[in-house]
Amino acid sequence: MSEAVSPRFRTVVERLAAYKPGKVVRSPDGRSVKLSSNESPHGPLPSVLDAIARAAGEVNRYPDNGCVELTAEISARFGVPADHVALGCGAVGVTQMLLEAVGEPDAEVLYAWRSFEGYPILVSLSGATSVQVPLVEEKHDLTAMAEAITDRTRLIFICNPNNPTGTVLRRAELEAFLDRVPSDCLVVLDEAYREYVRDEETPDGLTLYGDRPNLAILRTFSKAYGLAGLRVGFMVAHPVVAAAVRKTFLPFSVNSLAQAAAVASLGARSELLERVEGTIKERDRVRAALLAQGWTVPPSEANFVWLRLGEDTMDFAAACEAAGVSVRPFAGEGARISIGSPEENDALLAAAESYPGRH
Ligand SMILES: *Cc1c(COP(=O)(O)O)cnc(C)c1O
C-alpha cells in the first residue's frame, strides 16, 4: 500500500494554529464564571428577544443580502450616510473583508502587538505580511508605528481601546499619527469597545473620519450591545472604501436573526447603554480592588482589565480556573479579565486575593 498523502494546502494554512476561543471552566463546587471573552454579562432585552423570535419564523428565506433596514438604522442612529456603512459577520468578518480588499503577497499590514488576536490570523490568511510594533507601557507606540510604514504598507490597525490592555490613544496623538500615514494606506480604527470609553480626550472615530478618506471605523454589536452569539459588526468609511469592502462580503453572511436583533438593539440603545454604565462602575471597582490587593493594573477604558504577569501567567490562570473563573491568559505575557456581573467579579477578586505571587 502506498503511503497516505494528504491534500496539499497553502503553506500559511498548514502553519496556522487553530483559533482558541475563551474557555468555559467549572470549579469543584460547580461554579462557572466566564471572564475570558469580553462578553456582556446580560442576556438579551425582552424587546430584542421578541425580534429574534419573529425573525426565527422566517428562516426558510435568505437574509437581506444588502442589510437595507439595518444599514438605515445605523445611518440614522450614528448620523452617517448609508453609503458609508459596510456590514459583516461580526467585526471580525469586516476585518476579514478589509484584508481581502487589500491583502496580497506584497502587502504589509501594520499593527501594535500585543493587540487583538484576530489580526495576525486574518492577515496571514489574506496572503499579506504582518508587521508588529511592540506596545510601550501597555500602549501603542505611535512613533515607532509611523517609522515602520513602508511603500508596502497597505493597512494599519489601531485598536482603541486596545485589546487586551484596555489602554487608549487620545485625540492629539492619534491625529498626529494619522497625518503621517500616506493617503493610499488604509487605517482601520477598531472601536469594538467604544461604548465603554469615558476618557473625554479619547476621540470617537466617527468624528475623525470625515476629512480622512483613508480612515475606516470598525464597530460591533458583540460587546456593549450583547449580541456576540449572532455575529454582526460594521464599518464606517468614505464611500470608495465602503464600496470596495462590500465587494468582499461573503453573500448572506449577516444572517436574518442577527439583522433583526441589531435593528431592535439600536431601538433599545438607551437601555443597553445603561447596562454599560453598570459595567463601567464594576470595572472601576474591580481595578481599585486589584490595586488594593497589590496588583499593577493599567487604567482600562474597556470592559476588561489587564494584568501583566509574565512567567506567572499560566499559573495565575490555573488558580482562577480552580476557583471556577476563566480568564484569558497569553503565556509569558499576562491575563485579560473581562468585567462580569458583581457576583462574578467578586469570584475573580477572591481568586486573585488568594493568589500568592502578586504583581
Ligand atoms: C471582540 C472584538 C472584535 C469583534 O468582535 P465580533 O464579535 O467579531 O464583532 C473586534 N475587535 C476587537 C479588538 C475585539 O476585541
Side-chain angles (χ1 to χ4, degrees):
M1 275 236 309
S2 64
E3 205 179 309
V5 175
S6 102
R8 286 168 58 183
F9 299 104
R10 291 165 61 204
T11 317
V12 39
V13 170
E14 292 192 325
R15 285 194 191 144
L16 209 62
Y19 174 79
K20 286 201 210 83
K23 258 206 215 170
V24 179
V25 300
R26 199 168 287 282
S27 69
D29 59 359
R31 181 157 59 195
S32 179
V33 173
K34 187 164 180 256
L35 301 180
S36 54
S37 298
N38 298 344
E39 296 148 336
S40 165
H42 306 281
L45 292 168
S47 61
V48 175
L49 261 187
D50 284 348
I52 295 170
R54 273 194 306 276
E58 291 177 44
V59 294
N60 54 313
R61 303 296 178 191
Y62 280 101
D64 170 11
N65 195 51
C67 305
V68 173
E69 191 187 355
L70 177 52
T71 301
E73 272 300 304
I74 290 171
S75 166
R77 301 278 170 181
F78 293 91
V80 296
D83 66 345
H84 290 202
V85 178
L87 280 134
C89 182
V92 162
V94 182
T95 301
Q96 184 175 42
M97 289 162 68
L98 281 155
L99 288 164
E100 202 163 328
V102 305
E104 53 194 353
D106 245 7
E108 291 177 354
V109 177
L110 180 65
Y111 50 90
W113 198 250
R114 178 166 285 277
S115 190
F116 181 47
E117 305 134 86
Y119 302 151
I121 300 173
L122 295 171
V123 170
S124 304
L125 286 174
S126 77
T129 302
S130 280
V131 177
Q132 302 180 333
V133 176
L135 298 173
V136 169
E137 292 175 2
E138 315 296 9
K139 268 187 68 173
H140 283 67
D141 181 350
L142 289 179
T143 306
M145 287 183 74
E147 281 160 9
I149 296 172
T150 72
D151 292 349
R152 295 179 171 185
T153 312
R154 299 285 294 275
L155 191 151
I156 302 170
F157 288 113
I158 303 276
C159 190
N160 202 36
N162 188 47
N163 175 0
T165 56
T167 49
V168 283
L169 292 166
R170 294 180 145 179
R171 182 178 290 273
E173 55 189 333
L174 191 54
E175 286 188 322
F177 174 78
L178 294 172
D179 289 342
R180 288 183 67 178
V181 179
S183 54
D184 64 351
C185 173
L186 190 59
V187 180
V188 177
L189 189 61
D190 185 341
E191 295 190 327
Y193 302 97
R194 175 63 211 172
E195 294 82 359
Y196 300 97
V197 173
R198 289 298 172 272
D199 172 52
E200 286 180 4
E201 286 177 57
T202 302
D204 177 330
L206 296 177
T207 67
L208 286 179
Y209 89 100
D211 55 358
R212 296 183 186 273
N214 65 334
L215 181 63
I217 312 303
L218 197 55
R219 297 284 180 93
T220 179
F221 285 95
S222 295
K223 308 285 162 54
Y225 287 88
L227 299 179
L230 280 175
R231 317 303 308 127
V232 52
F234 65 97
M235 184 196 85
V236 178
H238 280 240
V240 173
V241 176
V245 169
R246 265 189 237 111
K247 287 183 192 172
T248 66
F249 182 62
L250 176 70
F252 307 116
S253 57
V254 178
N255 71 69
S256 40
L257 304 191
Q259 292 188 37
V263 168
S265 296
L266 289 172
R269 208 166 159 210
S270 49
E271 268 174 278
L272 290 166
L273 296 182
E274 256 169 57
R275 290 175 157 189
V276 167
E277 288 305 325
T279 297
I280 290 169
K281 283 205 186 82
E282 280 295 289
R283 168 182 82 201
D284 297 344
R285 179 179 78 89
V286 167
R287 177 163 182 260
L290 288 169
L291 290 173
Q293 289 179 13
W295 301 90
T296 302
V297 194
S300 170
E301 293 289 331
N303 66 341
F304 52 82
V305 292
W306 171 247
L307 297 181
R308 189 164 285 279
L309 300 163
E311 293 311 312
D312 288 343
T313 300
M314 300 316 284
D315 189 50
F316 174 82
C320 291
E321 276 182 29
V325 180
S326 67
V327 300
R328 177 63 76 107
F330 300 100
E333 294 178 61
R336 189 192 69 201
I337 304 165
S338 310
I339 301 301
S341 67
E343 302 72 41
E344 291 173 327
N345 301 332
D346 284 342
L348 176 275
L349 290 171
E353 171 92 75
S354 55
Y355 188 75
R358 310 271 168 82
H359 288 251

